[in-house]
Amino acid sequence: MRRLVFLVFILGLLVPSLFAQGRRGGAAGGGTPQAQTIYVLKPARVFDGESAQPHEGWVVVVRGQRIEAAGPAASVTIPPGAEAIDLPGMTVLPGLIEAHSHVLLHPYNETSWNDQVEHETLALRIARATVSLKATLDAGFTTIRDLGTEGAGYSDVGLKLAVNQGIIPGPRMLVVTRAIVATGTYGPKGFPAEWNMPQGAEEADGDSLIRVVRDQAGKGADWIKVYGDYRAGPRGETTPTFSQEEMKLIVETAKSIGRSVAVHSSTPEGMRRAILAGAETIEHGDGGTPEIFKLMAEHGVALCPTLAAGHATSQYSGWRPGQDPEPQGIQRKRASFKAALDAGVTIASGSDVGVFTHGDNARELELMVAYGMTPADALKSATSVDAKVLHMETQVGKVTQGLQADLIAVDGDPTKDISVLHKVKLVMKAGAVVKRDRE
Ligand SMILES: [Zn+2]
């Protein structure tokens, strides 16, 4: 009996220290070495990710990796030993979410997509991606859904691991690996027919779609990304690629192993097939009509409008915003975005960054506002709405007790002036301060 009491005593000493170690070990998931530090953030106001108005005079308490409390300063108990972070004039908001990135691409005005895919070595692309991930995090984007490596294989899976293991700084990542295209529809093009050029995504058709969806998932894809239309017409015009049956096969196969499907599509027919097949997000949607957006809203399919990508490529072709008339593509984008808003489609903030500079992701929110959204709605889109669309709402996207402490502070009030998103002074990921600008 005495021996038993002794054993229990020893266990009592050991177990808490084991747990403490477990917590420290677990902290590597957020890349934070000081997991149990307590902070109290004291900004001018807090935008919680949900409410239309920011809360003046709120404070946020962070313990370890999580938000312990958020509320009016008078009603929140500050734990002893908490380190105060004063953020005068600033707004604290949830870490921003980018629902459509390509960290393995860099701006097309530096190097064209074709040249990146054809001529850049994998090591070069990965090395650059590590820098792009840091720029993304420093810009206040603490979660990204990266929608395709565009010829860089499965390297997104390794980059995600490197971030999770604390080897490189970066946002939380959802990845898709190579993405899927219908045979003969994608690029790079223009080579002799005898040459089988590696493509920017994995080709599959008919029954082979089952194998490729499962293979990409097995190799680490969190989501399945497919190109539902592309410039595959005889004159290079954009046409649907996968048939309705193929699209259904993709979604059924993905869903049965717990993966959601994102479909690149800009034609009404490509979008219609994706919606009816059960895709969860449609990327771009440039040619969406009021009828198609109504169908999207009815089926609960979210739109990632990628406004910033078109805005950037138009400028690469010589357009000078504010000086030249708006190109047709931009006018069409404005109109389809408005039609999506009018139809009540869920707007997921996703920019297609990579086409333009990593770290400039906030351009998407500025354009959402310029094209008709309120700043608060654009902010919700990049926080709580994106979190829900990405099935991460129990982890991130709001300033509320119990969620991961992914928090940023910007200088000013972004619900009044969305451009202050470019003035990120503090970035915290999973309770660790990863950027603090004290100027
Ligand atoms: Zn894209």
Side-chain angles (χ1 to χ4, degrees):
M1 186 64 192
R2 197 180 285 170
R3 193 178 286 174
L4 189 66
V5 168
F6 181 67
L7 254 177
V8 169
F9 174 68
I10 291 294
L11 269 176
L13 286 178
L14 273 175
V15 167
S17 71
L18 281 174
F19 271 102
Q21 282 207 340
R23 276 200 298 269
R24 273 197 294 275
T32 154
Q34 74 278 47
Q36 285 307 302
T37 309
I38 306 168
Y39 292 106
V40 52
L41 307 185
K42 299 176 168 178
R45 65 194 75 77
V46 173
F47 175 79
D48 65 15
E50 255 184 329
S51 314
Q53 295 292 328
H55 308 288
E56 298 291 329
W58 269 32
V59 297
V60 183
V61 177
V62 172
R63 184 190 293 267
Q65 298 187 25
R66 293 184 185 277
I67 298 168
E68 181 168 273
S75 64
V76 171
T77 312
I78 308 300
E83 182 185 325
I85 300 181
D86 287 309
L87 303 163
M90 297 184 209
T91 305
V92 160
L93 55 158
L96 300 169
I97 301 174
E98 167 64 79
H100 187 142
S101 67
H102 296 279
V103 295
L104 286 139
L105 289 174
H106 61 107
Y108 298 173
N109 62 337
E110 295 170 11
T111 309
S112 72
W113 181 89
N114 278 332
D115 282 344
Q116 292 186 45
V117 175
E118 289 164 18
H119 300 301
E120 290 187 348
T121 68
L122 194 53
L124 173 65
R125 296 187 67 183
I126 293 169
R128 187 183 271 118
T130 64
V131 176
S132 300
L133 283 167
K134 182 176 190 306
T136 305
L137 184 62
D138 284 347
F141 286 78
T142 50
T143 299
I144 62 172
R145 181 180 62 161
D146 203 62
L147 284 184
T149 62
E150 305 292 331
Y154 307 90
S155 50
D156 52 353
V157 177
L159 286 165
K160 176 183 160 179
L161 283 174
V163 170
N164 287 351
Q165 293 177 18
I167 298 165
I168 56 168
R172 298 169 194 284
M173 293 176 75
L174 295 174
V175 298
V176 305
T177 74
R178 298 172 64 190
I180 304 173
V181 289
T183 296
T185 61
Y186 205 45
K189 283 197 185 303
F191 296 93
E194 299 77 17
W195 293 11
N196 275 325
M197 282 298 291
Q199 297 289 287
E202 188 169 11
E203 293 184 329
D205 319 275
D207 288 345
S208 77
L209 285 163
I210 298 178
R211 187 188 60 76
V212 169
V213 167
R214 288 178 183 156
D215 188 50
Q216 293 191 357
K219 287 175 172 148
D222 301 300
W223 276 64
I224 297 300
K225 156 88 178 282
V226 298
Y227 285 79
D229 49 36
Y230 210 70
R231 297 188 286 272
R235 289 165 300 280
E237 68 273 30
T238 302
T239 64
T241 51
F242 294 111
S243 68
Q244 182 69 74
E245 290 66 34
E246 286 175 313
M247 199 60 89
K248 274 191 181 145
L249 197 56
I250 292 164
V251 174
E252 275 171 19
T253 307
K255 288 233 179 238
S256 71
I257 46 173
R259 266 67 167 193
S260 302
V261 176
V263 179
H264 162 116
S265 183
S266 61
T267 63
E269 177 59 16
M271 292 171 73
R272 195 181 65 82
R273 291 181 195 174
I275 297 162
L276 296 179
E280 292 192 21
T281 65
I282 288 179
E283 310 304 310
H284 316 301
D286 295 50
T289 60
E291 294 69 35
I292 288 293
F293 287 127
K294 184 166 171 279
L295 194 65
M296 271 183 87
E298 284 167 5
H299 286 253
V301 182
L303 174 72
C304 256
T306 68
L307 306 174
H311 204 258
T313 52
S314 295
Q315 290 176 71
Y316 301 160
S317 318
W319 174 49
R320 295 164 304 170
Q323 295 181 57
D324 304 326
E326 276 192 348
Q328 229 181 357
I330 300 284
Q331 289 176 29
R332 189 169 80 134
K333 197 74 188 169
R334 266 185 195 274
S336 65
F337 183 66
K338 184 174 183 305
L341 287 179
D342 290 347
V345 173
T346 299
I347 306 293
S349 183
S351 67
D352 217 357
V353 66
V355 172
F356 62 96
T357 311
H358 293 283
D360 248 356
N361 311 57
R363 272 198 216 175
E364 183 71 16
L365 286 97
E366 289 180 289
L367 288 168
M368 284 162 119
V369 172
Y371 294 2
M373 246 179 160
T374 66
D377 280 346
L379 290 165
K380 280 190 229 175
S381 177
T383 54
S384 60
V385 172
D386 266 359
K388 192 147 190 282
V389 168
L390 302 183
H391 306 291
M392 296 178 80
E393 70 270 29
T394 59
Q395 300 170 59
V396 296
K398 287 182 212 165
V399 182
T400 192
Q401 189 189 1
L403 291 204
Q404 289 285 310
D406 286 9
L407 299 164
I408 66 169
V410 298
D411 199 3
D413 182 353
T415 66
K416 294 201 169 72
D417 175 7
I418 197 73
S419 74
V420 304
L421 290 182
H422 291 290
K423 299 176 184 168
V424 175
K425 301 294 179 187
L426 173 85
V427 179
M428 182 181 270
K429 184 187 160 203
V433 175
V434 292
K435 171 183 167 163
R436 188 167 180 190
D437 187 347
R438 289 167 196 271
E439 277 170 53

